[in-house]
Amino acid sequence: MDGEVVLLTGASEGIGRALAHQLSARGARLMLVARNRERLDSLVAELPSPAVAYPLDLTELDQLPKLVEATLAQFGRLDRLILNAGITMWSTVEDLTDLSVLERVMRVNYLATAHLAHAALPALKQSRGHIAVVSSLTGLTGVPTRSGYCASKHAVMGFFDALRIELRGSGVDVTVLCPDFVVTQTHKRAMGADGQPLGQTPMQESKIMTAEQCARAMVGAIEKRQRLWLGSFRGRLGRWLKLLAPGLIDGIAARAIARRH
């Protein structure tokens, strides 16, 4: 990735911040996007290769073409688009009292990624570049208490699988990354049934993958332009169980949530 220009969303913390360190160590030049300027500026100061902070709320969909324009103005090209930004929710469907949770999750996780990919396509075609999008194992199967999040990640999977086919012969590859549970601040900010942040993680963090571990594995898949990366053994197993024994994978998903890991 030495010298490549990478636009990375959700860069200020968690998996995104860890990815920025991994990419920068490989010599990539980074356009780093997130809402919080202070955290972005501190990240830029930590990185060994050139990086630019670009504070933006990705739900401002009309601003996404300007983000691509700013990347081209700064670096002259775009080689990789890594779509990592996302939000989540924790509530059963029955317990939801604020149904706007479903719309907010879809807008960030699906619509923003789709709009940004669309805006970046001309530049990526010119460089014969690469799109990597962070979905989730919940994009492959339903998970209780995560219905809105699952829906958004299923949408991501469908959109980028279709886009991959449309881009055949263009030189632009698409990688879909599906991590399992990861230690991130996203869980603390997850929206509850009333639409308000939980304030504390519901996960047993000592038993799940760290953001740094996840980012290291992801970068390997990104470098290889791998079609699909599944972030755990149960994820790889579950992909086939869903076809062969769908009731069994439902039970595995339910137990994972009950155990919080």
Side-chain angles (χ1 to χ4, degrees):
M1 295 187 187
D2 191 26
E4 289 188 353
V5 175
V6 180
L7 195 168
L8 171 65
T9 68
S12 63
E13 61 189 26
I15 294 172
R17 195 177 189 98
L19 276 171
H21 279 279
Q22 291 290 326
L23 296 164
S24 186
R26 287 161 169 78
R29 296 175 290 164
L30 302 175
M31 179 66 86
L32 302 170
V33 186
R35 288 178 296 177
N36 189 295
R37 172 177 282 280
E38 184 177 348
R39 287 200 293 264
L40 283 178
D41 287 342
S42 69
L43 174 59
V44 168
E46 296 169 3
L47 300 177
S49 67
V52 174
Y54 194 102
L56 179 66
D57 183 340
L58 293 175
T59 62
E60 298 176 18
L61 301 180
D62 62 337
Q63 297 299 308
L64 300 183
K66 296 177 182 178
L67 168 57
V68 176
E69 292 167 8
T71 304
L72 297 175
Q74 179 70 37
F75 295 109
R77 61 184 292 125
L78 175 61
D79 298 292
R80 297 188 197 252
L81 174 64
I82 302 180
L83 299 161
N84 166 71
I87 60 174
T88 191
M89 52 84 71
W90 286 81
S91 173
T92 64
V93 173
E94 184 177 13
D95 287 341
L96 276 173
T97 57
D98 181 358
L99 289 174
S100 72
V101 166
L102 304 178
E103 297 174 21
R104 282 183 276 169
V105 171
M106 190 65 76
R107 190 170 180 86
V108 174
N109 293 359
Y110 168 57
L111 290 175
T113 60
H115 278 249
L116 186 50
H118 176 267
L121 279 179
L124 291 169
K125 283 188 171 182
Q126 188 171 4
S127 66
R128 298 181 69 84
H130 181 212
I131 299 170
V133 59
V134 179
S135 180
S136 167
L137 292 181
T138 66
L140 299 170
T141 190
V143 176
T145 73
R146 315 296 300 286
S147 56
Y149 183 72
C150 291
S152 69
K153 294 304 186 178
H154 274 69
V156 165
M157 298 290 291
F159 181 91
F160 285 94
D161 279 348
L163 181 60
R164 180 189 296 109
I165 299 168
E166 293 176 0
L167 291 172
R168 289 178 69 180
S170 71
V172 181
D173 295 309
V174 175
T175 296
V176 178
L177 303 158
C178 295
D180 204 320
F181 292 128
V182 178
V183 179
T184 72
Q185 294 297 312
T186 302
H187 295 302
K188 294 181 181 179
R189 289 198 296 272
M191 291 176 286
D194 60 356
Q196 298 303 307
L198 295 180
Q200 59 184 9
T201 180
M203 304 305 301
Q204 292 193 50
E205 293 189 339
S206 64
K207 296 186 177 182
I208 61 178
M209 181 182 289
T210 67
E212 290 72 24
Q213 290 169 329
C214 184
R216 282 195 296 271
M218 281 183 171
V219 165
I222 292 169
E223 284 183 313
K224 297 172 185 175
R225 299 191 176 209
Q226 190 173 317
R227 178 189 177 97
L228 176 66
W229 176 80
L230 302 176
S232 69
F233 172 75
R234 71 178 171 187
R236 294 186 289 275
L237 177 64
R239 186 184 182 199
W240 299 107
L241 286 178
K242 187 171 176 64
L243 297 173
L244 301 173
L248 181 58
I249 194 63
D250 288 353
I252 292 173
R255 284 193 297 274
I257 291 298
R259 295 171 179 171
R260 298 293 193 261
H261 66 83

